[in-house]
Amino acid sequence: MLAGEQGHATQKAMQILVALGKIYDAERLVKVSSVQVSGVSYKNLGDAGLEFLRELARDGKARVKTTLNPAGMSLTDWKSQGIDSGFAKKQLRVIDAYRKLGVEITCTCTPYLAGNEPSFGQHIAWGESSAVAYANSVIGARTNREGGPSALAASLTGRTPLYGLHITENRVPTIAVDVEAQLRFPEDFSAMGYFVGGEAKDGIPYFRGVQRASLEDLKTLSAALASSGGVAMFHLEGLTPEFGVATKNLETLTFTGKELMETNFQLNDEGAPDFVSVGCPHCSLTELATLAKLLSGRQVTREFWVCCSGEVKRQGDQAGYSKIIEESGAKFALDTCMVVAPVEELGYKVVATNSAKACHYLRNAGLKVRFMPLEECVAEATSG
Ligand code: F3S
């Protein structure tokens, strides 16, 4: 591959992996069973990124199952989202290049809810920090936090350098967290992740004292941990598959009701929301069920985005949830989300959301944020 015998794109991909392997002192490459590619929104890629993809698409092909992160807009409904046609044209070219490369156009940050479901112990190469933390921690698959180019390089070669979280010894906790706060909603897990991520930096937290956690709790915890810090893996004692590791002599944090309250306070700016968005990470079917229940018979009074994958939306169609949600005037934001779409250019100023990760990135984009539970997001979106 490196010698170019299997084509230009494969050679370029292998050059990226070899360079990475040298930086991290990897002993060898390891085969991967799946890839999740990030770096899809034209907002982040720009023309240089688009050209890089088009060059690879001339003769490159995915060798393993490869799925795609959200794009900067809905691929079909971008006009109703208010997206500029110049942006849309470039975004569609990005998608076209990925399609030529053999990447499945899933456009979701929850690939594990949309058919890309690795097994315990499998080596994978995933971009998208929330999905990486989920895959390592909840599934027990093994991936580093890949960037767009390195994930794509793994897809085009079927391999990744063996270092970091691919190695058992590197998957042990670095910091313990005693959870004393009552975690009642997924948003409480989100706030906890945001607090702990800031303290743990790129370490591996070991949570003690959490009795139960739903898929939605784990999904939002993964996202928040990876946004305020660089966490790519965590353990929940008794709940995640690799928790049985030594925790003696670890630095210990305590997360009480006080930290929960302070984090909630910290994630709220002044101002009335003019935009409400849920589904960061992309909604699960259970979340669509909850939304349908909350929105049934009500009308939204401001822009309300429900971000989810096409696959989960299809499941919601079958279950009858999507119809109820759409009848309320809420919009499905398929293929995209409030962070990777150019929301700041659509004129909105204050965003209400139930995701600490979304708050973090929306603030970086210059917007004000209001962090609240899903139920309150619906109340806000339907208030007079
Ligand atoms: Fe997904 Fe967008 Fe949040 S990609 S994790 S919904 S920032």
Side-chain angles (χ1 to χ4, degrees), residues 118 120-124 126 129-145 164-167 171 204 222 231-235 240-242:
F120 181 84
Q122 276 184 340
H123 294 281
I124 59 177
W126 281 17
S129 61
S130 69
V132 166
Y134 189 95
N136 276 318
S137 319
V138 182
I139 301 172
R142 298 182 169 210
T143 178
N144 288 316
R145 251 171 94 128
L165 292 174
H166 289 282
I167 298 173
R171 297 173 67 84
I204 301 181
S222 301
V231 171
M233 180 170 187
F234 61 90
H235 302 281
T240 52
E242 291 177 59

PDB file of all heavy atoms in Angstrom, residues 118 120-124 126 129-145 164-167 171 204 222 231-235 240-242:
ATOM      1  N   PRO A 118     -20.155  -2.126  16.548  1.00  0.00           N
ATOM      2  CA  PRO A 118     -19.026  -3.024  16.818  1.00  0.00           C
ATOM      3  C   PRO A 118     -19.286  -3.890  18.054  1.00  0.00           C
ATOM      4  O   PRO A 118     -20.203  -3.610  18.826  1.00  0.00           O
ATOM      5  CB  PRO A 118     -17.862  -2.068  17.058  1.00  0.00           C
ATOM      6  CG  PRO A 118     -18.466  -0.762  17.384  1.00  0.00           C
ATOM      7  CD  PRO A 118     -19.833  -0.721  16.781  1.00  0.00           C
ATOM      8  N   PHE A 120     -17.683  -6.093  21.552  1.00  0.00           N
ATOM      9  CA  PHE A 120     -16.686  -5.978  22.628  1.00  0.00           C
ATOM     10  C   PHE A 120     -15.312  -6.461  22.138  1.00  0.00           C
ATOM     11  O   PHE A 120     -15.202  -7.519  21.527  1.00  0.00           O
ATOM     12  CB  PHE A 120     -17.130  -6.834  23.820  1.00  0.00           C
ATOM     13  CG  PHE A 120     -16.182  -6.759  24.980  1.00  0.00           C
ATOM     14  CD1 PHE A 120     -16.270  -5.720  25.892  1.00  0.00           C
ATOM     15  CD2 PHE A 120     -15.186  -7.707  25.137  1.00  0.00           C
ATOM     16  CE1 PHE A 120     -15.377  -5.630  26.948  1.00  0.00           C
ATOM     17  CE2 PHE A 120     -14.288  -7.629  26.195  1.00  0.00           C
ATOM     18  CZ  PHE A 120     -14.394  -6.587  27.102  1.00  0.00           C
ATOM     19  N   GLY A 121     -14.293  -5.685  22.381  1.00  0.00           N
ATOM     20  CA  GLY A 121     -12.924  -6.090  22.063  1.00  0.00           C
ATOM     21  C   GLY A 121     -12.482  -5.809  20.632  1.00  0.00           C
ATOM     22  O   GLY A 121     -11.295  -5.931  20.326  1.00  0.00           O
ATOM     23  N   GLN A 122     -13.395  -5.456  19.745  1.00  0.00           N
ATOM     24  CA  GLN A 122     -12.998  -5.206  18.350  1.00  0.00           C
ATOM     25  C   GLN A 122     -12.213  -3.898  18.230  1.00  0.00           C
ATOM     26  O   GLN A 122     -12.525  -2.917  18.905  1.00  0.00           O
ATOM     27  CB  GLN A 122     -14.245  -5.105  17.458  1.00  0.00           C
ATOM     28  CG  GLN A 122     -14.753  -6.457  17.002  1.00  0.00           C
ATOM     29  CD  GLN A 122     -15.935  -6.323  16.044  1.00  0.00           C
ATOM     30  OE1 GLN A 122     -16.608  -5.306  15.980  1.00  0.00           O
ATOM     31  NE2 GLN A 122     -16.185  -7.387  15.309  1.00  0.00           N
ATOM     32  N   HIS A 123     -11.227  -3.913  17.338  1.00  0.00           N
ATOM     33  CA  HIS A 123     -10.504  -2.678  17.028  1.00  0.00           C
ATOM     34  C   HIS A 123     -11.288  -1.931  15.964  1.00  0.00           C
ATOM     35  O   HIS A 123     -11.683  -2.518  14.941  1.00  0.00           O
ATOM     36  CB  HIS A 123      -9.098  -2.999  16.508  1.00  0.00           C
ATOM     37  CG  HIS A 123      -8.220  -3.628  17.540  1.00  0.00           C
ATOM     38  ND1 HIS A 123      -7.607  -2.887  18.522  1.00  0.00           N
ATOM     39  CD2 HIS A 123      -7.871  -4.927  17.767  1.00  0.00           C
ATOM     40  CE1 HIS A 123      -6.913  -3.701  19.307  1.00  0.00           C
ATOM     41  NE2 HIS A 123      -7.061  -4.950  18.878  1.00  0.00           N
ATOM     42  N   ILE A 124     -11.505  -0.647  16.210  1.00  0.00           N
ATOM     43  CA  ILE A 124     -12.232   0.176  15.252  1.00  0.00           C
ATOM     44  C   ILE A 124     -11.492   1.514  15.152  1.00  0.00           C
ATOM     45  O   ILE A 124     -10.586   1.779  15.959  1.00  0.00           O
ATOM     46  CB  ILE A 124     -13.704   0.404  15.690  1.00  0.00           C
ATOM     47  CG1 ILE A 124     -13.779   1.086  17.067  1.00  0.00           C
ATOM     48  CG2 ILE A 124     -14.467  -0.929  15.733  1.00  0.00           C
ATOM     49  CD1 ILE A 124     -15.197   1.421  17.534  1.00  0.00           C
ATOM     50  N   TRP A 126     -12.736   5.285  14.989  1.00  0.00           N
ATOM     51  CA  TRP A 126     -13.878   6.199  14.950  1.00  0.00           C
ATOM     52  C   TRP A 126     -13.443   7.630  15.224  1.00  0.00           C
ATOM     53  O   TRP A 126     -12.646   7.904  16.118  1.00  0.00           O
ATOM     54  CB  TRP A 126     -14.937   5.797  15.992  1.00  0.00           C
ATOM     55  CG  TRP A 126     -15.815   4.643  15.568  1.00  0.00           C
ATOM     56  CD1 TRP A 126     -15.559   3.748  14.564  1.00  0.00           C
ATOM     57  CD2 TRP A 126     -17.086   4.274  16.122  1.00  0.00           C
ATOM     58  NE1 TRP A 126     -16.598   2.853  14.464  1.00  0.00           N
ATOM     59  CE2 TRP A 126     -17.547   3.152  15.408  1.00  0.00           C
ATOM     60  CE3 TRP A 126     -17.868   4.784  17.155  1.00  0.00           C
ATOM     61  CZ2 TRP A 126     -18.757   2.526  15.690  1.00  0.00           C
ATOM     62  CZ3 TRP A 126     -19.077   4.172  17.442  1.00  0.00           C
ATOM     63  CH2 TRP A 126     -19.519   3.048  16.717  1.00  0.00           C
ATOM     64  N   SER A 129     -16.047  12.545  18.813  1.00  0.00           N
ATOM     65  CA  SER A 129     -15.617  12.283  20.182  1.00  0.00           C
ATOM     66  C   SER A 129     -16.681  11.615  21.048  1.00  0.00           C
ATOM     67  O   SER A 129     -16.359  10.769  21.881  1.00  0.00           O
ATOM     68  CB  SER A 129     -15.151  13.585  20.823  1.00  0.00           C
ATOM     69  OG  SER A 129     -16.210  14.516  20.847  1.00  0.00           O
ATOM     70  N   SER A 130     -17.960  11.961  20.856  1.00  0.00           N
ATOM     71  CA  SER A 130     -18.995  11.356  21.718  1.00  0.00           C
ATOM     72  C   SER A 130     -19.153   9.871  21.391  1.00  0.00           C
ATOM     73  O   SER A 130     -19.325   9.038  22.274  1.00  0.00           O
ATOM     74  CB  SER A 130     -20.335  12.079  21.549  1.00  0.00           C
ATOM     75  OG  SER A 130     -20.891  11.836  20.275  1.00  0.00           O
ATOM     76  N   ALA A 131     -19.092   9.543  20.114  1.00  0.00           N
ATOM     77  CA  ALA A 131     -19.227   8.141  19.691  1.00  0.00           C
ATOM     78  C   ALA A 131     -18.002   7.323  20.115  1.00  0.00           C
ATOM     79  O   ALA A 131     -18.113   6.150  20.455  1.00  0.00           O
ATOM     80  CB  ALA A 131     -19.424   8.066  18.182  1.00  0.00           C
ATOM     81  N   VAL A 132     -16.828   7.981  20.113  1.00  0.00           N
ATOM     82  CA  VAL A 132     -15.595   7.313  20.550  1.00  0.00           C
ATOM     83  C   VAL A 132     -15.716   6.922  22.020  1.00  0.00           C
ATOM     84  O   VAL A 132     -15.454   5.770  22.401  1.00  0.00           O
ATOM     85  CB  VAL A 132     -14.381   8.263  20.344  1.00  0.00           C
ATOM     86  CG1 VAL A 132     -13.154   7.771  21.091  1.00  0.00           C
ATOM     87  CG2 VAL A 132     -14.083   8.422  18.866  1.00  0.00           C
ATOM     88  N   ALA A 133     -16.143   7.877  22.852  1.00  0.00           N
ATOM     89  CA  ALA A 133     -16.280   7.592  24.293  1.00  0.00           C
ATOM     90  C   ALA A 133     -17.329   6.510  24.518  1.00  0.00           C
ATOM     91  O   ALA A 133     -17.161   5.630  25.367  1.00  0.00           O
ATOM     92  CB  ALA A 133     -16.638   8.873  25.043  1.00  0.00           C
ATOM     93  N   TYR A 134     -18.406   6.544  23.752  1.00  0.00           N
ATOM     94  CA  TYR A 134     -19.464   5.534  23.891  1.00  0.00           C
ATOM     95  C   TYR A 134     -18.944   4.154  23.480  1.00  0.00           C
ATOM     96  O   TYR A 134     -19.168   3.158  24.178  1.00  0.00           O
ATOM     97  CB  TYR A 134     -20.676   5.934  23.038  1.00  0.00           C
ATOM     98  CG  TYR A 134     -21.895   5.076  23.272  1.00  0.00           C
ATOM     99  CD1 TYR A 134     -22.885   5.473  24.169  1.00  0.00           C
ATOM    100  CD2 TYR A 134     -22.062   3.857  22.615  1.00  0.00           C
ATOM    101  CE1 TYR A 134     -24.015   4.679  24.401  1.00  0.00           C
ATOM    102  CE2 TYR A 134     -23.178   3.056  22.840  1.00  0.00           C
ATOM    103  CZ  TYR A 134     -24.145   3.474  23.731  1.00  0.00           C
ATOM    104  OH  TYR A 134     -25.251   2.694  23.953  1.00  0.00           O
ATOM    105  N   ALA A 135     -18.246   4.096  22.348  1.00  0.00           N
ATOM    106  CA  ALA A 135     -17.754   2.805  21.832  1.00  0.00           C
ATOM    107  C   ALA A 135     -16.751   2.169  22.796  1.00  0.00           C
ATOM    108  O   ALA A 135     -16.840   0.981  23.120  1.00  0.00           O
ATOM    109  CB  ALA A 135     -17.121   2.999  20.455  1.00  0.00           C
ATOM    110  N   ASN A 136     -15.804   2.969  23.281  1.00  0.00           N
ATOM    111  CA  ASN A 136     -14.805   2.432  24.209  1.00  0.00           C
ATOM    112  C   ASN A 136     -15.419   1.997  25.528  1.00  0.00           C
ATOM    113  O   ASN A 136     -15.101   0.930  26.060  1.00  0.00           O
ATOM    114  CB  ASN A 136     -13.749   3.504  24.526  1.00  0.00           C
ATOM    115  CG  ASN A 136     -12.648   3.575  23.480  1.00  0.00           C
ATOM    116  OD1 ASN A 136     -12.152   2.540  23.008  1.00  0.00           O
ATOM    117  ND2 ASN A 136     -12.285   4.772  23.104  1.00  0.00           N
ATOM    118  N   SER A 137     -16.313   2.844  26.052  1.00  0.00           N
ATOM    119  CA  SER A 137     -16.775   2.655  27.419  1.00  0.00           C
ATOM    120  C   SER A 137     -17.979   1.729  27.515  1.00  0.00           C
ATOM    121  O   SER A 137     -18.005   0.833  28.356  1.00  0.00           O
ATOM    122  CB  SER A 137     -17.162   4.015  28.019  1.00  0.00           C
ATOM    123  OG  SER A 137     -16.233   4.991  27.648  1.00  0.00           O
ATOM    124  N   VAL A 138     -18.978   1.959  26.685  1.00  0.00           N
ATOM    125  CA  VAL A 138     -20.247   1.242  26.815  1.00  0.00           C
ATOM    126  C   VAL A 138     -20.211  -0.074  26.034  1.00  0.00           C
ATOM    127  O   VAL A 138     -20.699  -1.099  26.505  1.00  0.00           O
ATOM    128  CB  VAL A 138     -21.412   2.138  26.324  1.00  0.00           C
ATOM    129  CG1 VAL A 138     -22.750   1.431  26.494  1.00  0.00           C
ATOM    130  CG2 VAL A 138     -21.412   3.468  27.080  1.00  0.00           C
ATOM    131  N   ILE A 139     -19.595  -0.044  24.853  1.00  0.00           N
ATOM    132  CA  ILE A 139     -19.532  -1.262  24.038  1.00  0.00           C
ATOM    133  C   ILE A 139     -18.285  -2.085  24.389  1.00  0.00           C
ATOM    134  O   ILE A 139     -18.312  -3.307  24.331  1.00  0.00           O
ATOM    135  CB  ILE A 139     -19.529  -0.902  22.524  1.00  0.00           C
ATOM    136  CG1 ILE A 139     -20.800  -0.123  22.171  1.00  0.00           C
ATOM    137  CG2 ILE A 139     -19.402  -2.153  21.646  1.00  0.00           C
ATOM    138  CD1 ILE A 139     -20.825   0.442  20.758  1.00  0.00           C
ATOM    139  N   GLY A 140     -17.198  -1.394  24.727  1.00  0.00           N
ATOM    140  CA  GLY A 140     -15.949  -2.115  25.006  1.00  0.00           C
ATOM    141  C   GLY A 140     -15.161  -2.403  23.731  1.00  0.00           C
ATOM    142  O   GLY A 140     -14.266  -3.244  23.712  1.00  0.00           O
ATOM    143  N   ALA A 141     -15.508  -1.717  22.635  1.00  0.00           N
ATOM    144  CA  ALA A 141     -14.661  -1.777  21.427  1.00  0.00           C
ATOM    145  C   ALA A 141     -13.457  -0.867  21.671  1.00  0.00           C
ATOM    146  O   ALA A 141     -13.404  -0.188  22.701  1.00  0.00           O
ATOM    147  CB  ALA A 141     -15.471  -1.312  20.224  1.00  0.00           C
ATOM    148  N   ARG A 142     -12.489  -0.879  20.758  1.00  0.00           N
ATOM    149  CA  ARG A 142     -11.258  -0.145  21.025  1.00  0.00           C
ATOM    150  C   ARG A 142     -10.943   0.868  19.923  1.00  0.00           C
ATOM    151  O   ARG A 142     -10.695   0.480  18.782  1.00  0.00           O
ATOM    152  CB  ARG A 142     -10.090  -1.129  21.153  1.00  0.00           C
ATOM    153  CG  ARG A 142     -10.313  -2.057  22.313  1.00  0.00           C
ATOM    154  CD  ARG A 142      -9.191  -3.022  22.541  1.00  0.00           C
ATOM    155  NE  ARG A 142      -9.436  -3.664  23.828  1.00  0.00           N
ATOM    156  CZ  ARG A 142      -8.497  -4.110  24.639  1.00  0.00           C
ATOM    157  NH1 ARG A 142      -7.235  -4.021  24.276  1.00  0.00           N
ATOM    158  NH2 ARG A 142      -8.812  -4.665  25.783  1.00  0.00           N
ATOM    159  N   THR A 143     -10.959   2.125  20.288  1.00  0.00           N
ATOM    160  CA  THR A 143     -10.610   3.152  19.305  1.00  0.00           C
ATOM    161  C   THR A 143      -9.953   4.345  19.977  1.00  0.00           C
ATOM    162  O   THR A 143     -10.281   4.680  21.115  1.00  0.00           O
ATOM    163  CB  THR A 143     -11.862   3.640  18.532  1.00  0.00           C
ATOM    164  OG1 THR A 143     -11.467   4.686  17.624  1.00  0.00           O
ATOM    165  CG2 THR A 143     -12.972   4.159  19.432  1.00  0.00           C
ATOM    166  N   ASN A 144      -9.034   4.964  19.262  1.00  0.00           N
ATOM    167  CA  ASN A 144      -8.531   6.259  19.689  1.00  0.00           C
ATOM    168  C   ASN A 144      -9.490   7.322  19.180  1.00  0.00           C
ATOM    169  O   ASN A 144     -10.419   7.024  18.431  1.00  0.00           O
ATOM    170  CB  ASN A 144      -7.118   6.481  19.130  1.00  0.00           C
ATOM    171  CG  ASN A 144      -6.111   5.595  19.839  1.00  0.00           C
ATOM    172  OD1 ASN A 144      -6.144   5.469  21.072  1.00  0.00           O
ATOM    173  ND2 ASN A 144      -5.224   4.967  19.080  1.00  0.00           N
ATOM    174  N   ARG A 145      -9.267   8.553  19.588  1.00  0.00           N
ATOM    175  CA  ARG A 145     -10.091   9.669  19.090  1.00  0.00           C
ATOM    176  C   ARG A 145      -9.512  10.073  17.749  1.00  0.00           C
ATOM    177  O   ARG A 145      -8.568  10.847  17.686  1.00  0.00           O
ATOM    178  CB  ARG A 145      -9.948  10.843  20.062  1.00  0.00           C
ATOM    179  CG  ARG A 145     -11.160  11.134  20.890  1.00  0.00           C
ATOM    180  CD  ARG A 145     -10.829  12.143  21.952  1.00  0.00           C
ATOM    181  NE  ARG A 145     -11.133  13.506  21.533  1.00  0.00           N
ATOM    182  CZ  ARG A 145     -11.872  14.359  22.247  1.00  0.00           C
ATOM    183  NH1 ARG A 145     -12.392  13.991  23.392  1.00  0.00           N
ATOM    184  NH2 ARG A 145     -12.082  15.576  21.846  1.00  0.00           N
ATOM    185  N   GLY A 164      -2.241   3.703  22.081  1.00  0.00           N
ATOM    186  CA  GLY A 164      -3.329   4.335  22.850  1.00  0.00           C
ATOM    187  C   GLY A 164      -4.358   3.338  23.344  1.00  0.00           C
ATOM    188  O   GLY A 164      -4.025   2.295  23.919  1.00  0.00           O
ATOM    189  N   LEU A 165      -5.621   3.614  23.085  1.00  0.00           N
ATOM    190  CA  LEU A 165      -6.707   2.813  23.648  1.00  0.00           C
ATOM    191  C   LEU A 165      -6.907   1.467  22.955  1.00  0.00           C
ATOM    192  O   LEU A 165      -7.802   0.704  23.332  1.00  0.00           O
ATOM    193  CB  LEU A 165      -8.010   3.620  23.642  1.00  0.00           C
ATOM    194  CG  LEU A 165      -8.004   4.810  24.597  1.00  0.00           C
ATOM    195  CD1 LEU A 165      -9.257   5.655  24.436  1.00  0.00           C
ATOM    196  CD2 LEU A 165      -7.857   4.351  26.053  1.00  0.00           C
ATOM    197  N   HIS A 166      -6.074   1.162  21.964  1.00  0.00           N
ATOM    198  CA  HIS A 166      -6.118  -0.184  21.380  1.00  0.00           C
ATOM    199  C   HIS A 166      -5.386  -1.180  22.288  1.00  0.00           C
ATOM    200  O   HIS A 166      -5.480  -2.386  22.108  1.00  0.00           O
ATOM    201  CB  HIS A 166      -5.469  -0.189  19.987  1.00  0.00           C
ATOM    202  CG  HIS A 166      -6.309   0.537  18.973  1.00  0.00           C
ATOM    203  ND1 HIS A 166      -7.429  -0.025  18.400  1.00  0.00           N
ATOM    204  CD2 HIS A 166      -6.218   1.783  18.466  1.00  0.00           C
ATOM    205  CE1 HIS A 166      -7.985   0.845  17.573  1.00  0.00           C
ATOM    206  NE2 HIS A 166      -7.267   1.950  17.590  1.00  0.00           N
ATOM    207  N   ILE A 167      -4.617  -0.656  23.232  1.00  0.00           N
ATOM    208  CA  ILE A 167      -3.786  -1.499  24.103  1.00  0.00           C
ATOM    209  C   ILE A 167      -4.402  -1.575  25.506  1.00  0.00           C
ATOM    210  O   ILE A 167      -4.723  -0.538  26.111  1.00  0.00           O
ATOM    211  CB  ILE A 167      -2.347  -0.927  24.157  1.00  0.00           C
ATOM    212  CG1 ILE A 167      -1.756  -0.980  22.735  1.00  0.00           C
ATOM    213  CG2 ILE A 167      -1.478  -1.671  25.146  1.00  0.00           C
ATOM    214  CD1 ILE A 167      -0.420  -0.299  22.583  1.00  0.00           C
ATOM    215  N   ARG A 171      -6.133   1.304  29.063  1.00  0.00           N
ATOM    216  CA  ARG A 171      -7.584   1.478  29.249  1.00  0.00           C
ATOM    217  C   ARG A 171      -7.979   1.495  30.734  1.00  0.00           C
ATOM    218  O   ARG A 171      -9.142   1.352  31.071  1.00  0.00           O
ATOM    219  CB  ARG A 171      -8.326   0.362  28.498  1.00  0.00           C
ATOM    220  CG  ARG A 171      -8.076   0.450  26.993  1.00  0.00           C
ATOM    221  CD  ARG A 171      -8.642  -0.732  26.235  1.00  0.00           C
ATOM    222  NE  ARG A 171     -10.070  -0.813  26.239  1.00  0.00           N
ATOM    223  CZ  ARG A 171     -10.889  -0.160  25.399  1.00  0.00           C
ATOM    224  NH1 ARG A 171     -10.370   0.630  24.475  1.00  0.00           N
ATOM    225  NH2 ARG A 171     -12.192  -0.307  25.481  1.00  0.00           N
ATOM    226  N   ILE A 204      -8.994   8.943  32.132  1.00  0.00           N
ATOM    227  CA  ILE A 204     -10.088   7.966  32.098  1.00  0.00           C
ATOM    228  C   ILE A 204     -10.778   7.954  33.464  1.00  0.00           C
ATOM    229  O   ILE A 204     -10.250   7.409  34.437  1.00  0.00           O
ATOM    230  CB  ILE A 204      -9.546   6.556  31.740  1.00  0.00           C
ATOM    231  CG1 ILE A 204      -8.844   6.596  30.377  1.00  0.00           C
ATOM    232  CG2 ILE A 204     -10.671   5.514  31.774  1.00  0.00           C
ATOM    233  CD1 ILE A 204      -8.300   5.264  29.899  1.00  0.00           C
ATOM    234  N   SER A 222     -21.232  10.488  27.553  1.00  0.00           N
ATOM    235  CA  SER A 222     -20.086  10.338  26.645  1.00  0.00           C
ATOM    236  C   SER A 222     -19.796  11.657  25.942  1.00  0.00           C
ATOM    237  O   SER A 222     -18.645  12.095  25.840  1.00  0.00           O
ATOM    238  CB  SER A 222     -20.373   9.275  25.573  1.00  0.00           C
ATOM    239  OG  SER A 222     -20.645   8.024  26.166  1.00  0.00           O
ATOM    240  N   VAL A 231     -11.772  13.459  27.127  1.00  0.00           N
ATOM    241  CA  VAL A 231     -12.009  12.081  27.584  1.00  0.00           C
ATOM    242  C   VAL A 231     -12.450  11.207  26.412  1.00  0.00           C
ATOM    243  O   VAL A 231     -13.362  11.562  25.668  1.00  0.00           O
ATOM    244  CB  VAL A 231     -13.075  12.063  28.707  1.00  0.00           C
ATOM    245  CG1 VAL A 231     -13.495  10.639  29.039  1.00  0.00           C
ATOM    246  CG2 VAL A 231     -12.548  12.769  29.948  1.00  0.00           C
ATOM    247  N   ALA A 232     -11.817  10.054  26.250  1.00  0.00           N
ATOM    248  CA  ALA A 232     -12.182   9.127  25.174  1.00  0.00           C
ATOM    249  C   ALA A 232     -12.701   7.813  25.735  1.00  0.00           C
ATOM    250  O   ALA A 232     -13.097   6.920  24.980  1.00  0.00           O
ATOM    251  CB  ALA A 232     -10.981   8.865  24.272  1.00  0.00           C
ATOM    252  N   MET A 233     -12.675   7.693  27.073  1.00  0.00           N
ATOM    253  CA  MET A 233     -13.138   6.455  27.700  1.00  0.00           C
ATOM    254  C   MET A 233     -13.431   6.715  29.176  1.00  0.00           C
ATOM    255  O   MET A 233     -12.767   7.528  29.812  1.00  0.00           O
ATOM    256  CB  MET A 233     -12.067   5.374  27.562  1.00  0.00           C
ATOM    257  CG  MET A 233     -12.456   4.063  28.192  1.00  0.00           C
ATOM    258  SD  MET A 233     -11.337   2.728  27.775  1.00  0.00           S
ATOM    259  CE  MET A 233     -12.266   1.383  28.508  1.00  0.00           C
ATOM    260  N   PHE A 234     -14.437   6.022  29.706  1.00  0.00           N
ATOM    261  CA  PHE A 234     -14.728   6.093  31.141  1.00  0.00           C
ATOM    262  C   PHE A 234     -15.231   4.725  31.591  1.00  0.00           C
ATOM    263  O   PHE A 234     -15.551   3.867  30.760  1.00  0.00           O
ATOM    264  CB  PHE A 234     -15.781   7.176  31.436  1.00  0.00           C
ATOM    265  CG  PHE A 234     -17.110   6.939  30.759  1.00  0.00           C
ATOM    266  CD1 PHE A 234     -18.116   6.201  31.379  1.00  0.00           C
ATOM    267  CD2 PHE A 234     -17.365   7.434  29.491  1.00  0.00           C
ATOM    268  CE1 PHE A 234     -19.345   5.977  30.762  1.00  0.00           C
ATOM    269  CE2 PHE A 234     -18.583   7.209  28.852  1.00  0.00           C
ATOM    270  CZ  PHE A 234     -19.570   6.480  29.485  1.00  0.00           C
ATOM    271  N   HIS A 235     -15.275   4.541  32.900  1.00  0.00           N
ATOM    272  CA  HIS A 235     -15.866   3.319  33.455  1.00  0.00           C
ATOM    273  C   HIS A 235     -16.955   3.723  34.447  1.00  0.00           C
ATOM    274  O   HIS A 235     -16.794   4.694  35.183  1.00  0.00           O
ATOM    275  CB  HIS A 235     -14.831   2.498  34.222  1.00  0.00           C
ATOM    276  CG  HIS A 235     -13.642   2.102  33.398  1.00  0.00           C
ATOM    277  ND1 HIS A 235     -13.655   1.055  32.511  1.00  0.00           N
ATOM    278  CD2 HIS A 235     -12.382   2.621  33.330  1.00  0.00           C
ATOM    279  CE1 HIS A 235     -12.469   0.932  31.941  1.00  0.00           C
ATOM    280  NE2 HIS A 235     -11.677   1.872  32.414  1.00  0.00           N
ATOM    281  N   THR A 240     -20.466  -0.641  33.150  1.00  0.00           N
ATOM    282  CA  THR A 240     -19.787  -0.731  31.843  1.00  0.00           C
ATOM    283  C   THR A 240     -18.890  -1.975  31.818  1.00  0.00           C
ATOM    284  O   THR A 240     -18.467  -2.455  32.881  1.00  0.00           O
ATOM    285  CB  THR A 240     -18.988   0.555  31.541  1.00  0.00           C
ATOM    286  OG1 THR A 240     -18.136   0.842  32.639  1.00  0.00           O
ATOM    287  CG2 THR A 240     -19.909   1.723  31.276  1.00  0.00           C
ATOM    288  N   PRO A 241     -18.607  -2.513  30.629  1.00  0.00           N
ATOM    289  CA  PRO A 241     -18.022  -3.858  30.563  1.00  0.00           C
ATOM    290  C   PRO A 241     -16.593  -4.015  31.055  1.00  0.00           C
ATOM    291  O   PRO A 241     -16.194  -5.119  31.390  1.00  0.00           O
ATOM    292  CB  PRO A 241     -18.111  -4.196  29.066  1.00  0.00           C
ATOM    293  CG  PRO A 241     -18.241  -2.916  28.357  1.00  0.00           C
ATOM    294  CD  PRO A 241     -18.930  -1.984  29.297  1.00  0.00           C
ATOM    295  N   GLU A 242     -15.815  -2.954  31.145  1.00  0.00           N
ATOM    296  CA  GLU A 242     -14.423  -3.122  31.578  1.00  0.00           C
ATOM    297  C   GLU A 242     -14.176  -2.472  32.934  1.00  0.00           C
ATOM    298  O   GLU A 242     -13.072  -2.032  33.220  1.00  0.00           O
ATOM    299  CB  GLU A 242     -13.469  -2.523  30.527  1.00  0.00           C
ATOM    300  CG  GLU A 242     -13.440  -3.304  29.230  1.00  0.00           C
ATOM    301  CD  GLU A 242     -12.555  -2.646  28.193  1.00  0.00           C
ATOM    302  OE1 GLU A 242     -11.354  -2.457  28.450  1.00  0.00           O
ATOM    303  OE2 GLU A 242     -13.063  -2.316  27.112  1.00  0.00           O
TER     304      GLU A 242
END
